[in-house]
Amino acid sequence: MRKLVFAINMSADGYCDHTFAAPDDELMAYFTKQMAEAGTLLYGRKTYELMFPYWPNVVDSKEASARDIEFARAIVMVPEVVVVSKTLSQAKAENARIVRDQV
């Protein structure tokens, strides 16, 4: 049996917004480690469309910070990405597949 890790960026008062704040170095290192150990990522359509192609593009970026590049390398190396969506027609990542029905 594999370990399931759930992660969401949320403030202490329950506010969710990916543009609201950026993680500090310690938190970014934690998330990078989580990605490096992940076997599968599970996203809804909106989160998937935020993460891909953004992070794959960071891998080759000349302007990105070293910590962002390290995270980007870790996320693109995750073997499988599963996207739950009834509207997404095609996944952008090679290792992604779309699930349209309940499993």
Side-chain angles (χ1 to χ4, degrees), residues 2-53:
R2 295 188 291 176
K3 177 172 67 171
L4 175 65
V5 178
F6 174 79
I8 188 167
N9 295 333
M10 182 184 299
S11 66
D13 63 353
Y15 185 70
C16 292
D17 182 350
H18 75 281
T19 63
F20 180 67
D24 63 14
D25 289 342
E26 182 180 0
L27 186 57
M28 193 65 169
Y30 171 80
F31 282 125
T32 300
K33 182 178 183 297
Q34 293 297 309
M35 288 297 164
E37 296 175 354
T40 303
L41 300 175
L42 175 64
Y43 290 121
R45 178 190 55 83
K46 289 183 179 183
T47 303
Y48 174 74
E49 289 178 331
L50 288 171
M51 301 297 275
F52 295 87

Side-chain angles (χ1 to χ4, degrees), residues 52-69:
F52 295 87
Y54 179 82
W55 286 109
N57 287 337
V58 171
V59 171
D60 298 320
S61 173
K62 304 288 188 223
E63 292 84 34
S65 67
R67 74 179 202 164
D68 283 358
I69 292 171

Side-chain angles (χ1 to χ4, degrees), residues 53-98:
Y54 179 82
W55 286 109
N57 287 337
V58 171
V59 171
D60 298 320
S61 173
K62 304 288 188 223
E63 292 84 34
S65 67
R67 74 179 202 164
D68 283 358
I69 292 171
E70 184 179 3
F71 178 84
R73 288 180 178 152
I75 197 170
V76 300
M77 294 304 294
V78 175
E80 181 181 30
V81 178
V82 177
V83 184
V84 179
S85 175
K86 292 184 179 189
T87 59
L88 191 63
S89 60
Q90 182 177 341
K92 293 179 170 83
E94 287 182 26
N95 60 339
R97 66 183 173 96
I98 301 170

